[in-house]
Amino acid sequence: MKNIRVAGIIDMNNHDTFMRQALLEAREALIAGEFPVGCVMAHRGEIISRGRRINSRGPDENELDHAEIMALRKLLARRPEIEPAEIVVYSTMEPCLMCYVTLLLNGIRTIVYAYEDVMGGGTGLDLSELAPLYQEMPVTITPHILRRDSLELFKAFFSNQDNAYWQDSPLARYTLNQIAAEEAE
């Protein structure tokens, strides 16, 4: 994939610290009965925005209020002066295609995530195959930071039959199979 650099193990302590904060957001979403995705945005070692998935159920159910979008909205409202290219996004799940492209269009180029979204993850998108706007965007993706911690939240979500969101989806089956495989080891 042209222009996408998958980062190796660099400054894992920093990644762990920020991902733990994203995991706190995801836990809050889970406690509220929402899909357990959390996101924090960091700039120069400081968290500048937070978000969690909302409206994955209930009367306001929609596919717009993803954790990354919620954090981005807060960032743009409160700290619009920050250079987007200097922001690192930490998400407990790989950003979906909508969130990934929204982050890119807003100038964010560094994304760190915990758990892969085998059903709708967008970070594998080959930008060089898209329209010229996207072709030259340099992006750094760092996957699987605190993956197991995020996986546990998704296990709890998908194991609870009261949570209808994406139940029996490819993601739910993959998640429960990942847990079973790890427990068998």
Side-chain angles (χ1 to χ4, degrees):
M1 280 179 267
K2 185 179 176 186
N3 296 329
I4 295 181
R5 188 175 81 219
V6 176
I9 299 175
I10 20 176
D11 200 1
M12 293 296 287
N13 290 333
N14 222 13
H15 285 336
D16 285 2
T17 298
F18 291 119
M19 189 60 75
R20 286 187 201 294
Q21 292 299 307
L23 285 161
L24 289 174
E25 293 294 323
R27 279 188 199 92
E28 289 297 319
L30 182 63
I31 289 166
E34 299 284 356
F35 196 56
V37 180
C39 174
V40 299
M41 295 182 171
H43 179 255
R44 298 182 181 170
E46 171 192 354
I47 293 174
I48 56 172
S49 192
R50 297 171 171 271
R52 67 179 71 115
R53 180 65 164 102
I54 61 171
N55 296 321
S56 62
R57 61 185 238 163
D60 296 324
E61 183 176 334
N62 68 70
E63 285 302 330
L64 295 173
D65 295 333
H66 290 199
E68 298 89 346
I69 301 300
M70 301 310 294
L72 184 60
R73 284 179 177 157
K74 290 176 188 173
L75 172 72
L76 294 174
R78 297 177 186 158
R79 305 285 302 269
E81 76 284 357
I82 294 177
E83 174 58 42
E86 296 176 1
I87 295 170
V88 180
V89 171
Y90 291 86
S91 184
T92 59
M93 175 171 258
E94 176 185 5
C96 71
L97 187 56
M98 173 186 72
C99 292
Y100 181 54
V101 172
T102 299
L103 292 170
L104 294 180
L105 287 173
N106 280 278
I108 296 171
R109 300 291 187 263
T110 306
I111 299 168
V112 179
Y113 68 84
Y115 186 53
E116 63 276 10
D117 182 352
V118 298
M119 190 169 78
T123 64
L125 180 65
D126 187 350
L127 298 176
S128 70
E129 297 295 320
L130 298 180
L133 174 65
Y134 303 95
Q135 290 176 357
E136 300 303 319
M137 290 182 175
V139 181
T140 300
I141 307 291
T142 304
H144 303 137
I145 302 300
L146 300 180
R147 180 184 183 271
R148 176 67 186 192
D149 295 25
S150 185
L151 181 59
E152 287 293 331
L153 294 175
F154 287 101
K155 173 191 174 190
F157 181 84
F158 288 125
S159 296
N160 181 346
Q161 294 303 310
D162 290 337
N163 296 323
Y165 187 76
W166 292 122
Q167 282 292 347
D168 200 36
S169 67
L171 178 62
R173 289 190 297 276
Y174 176 81
T175 298
L176 296 174
N177 286 337
Q178 289 292 299
I179 291 289
E182 287 186 15
E183 289 172 353
E185 290 178 356

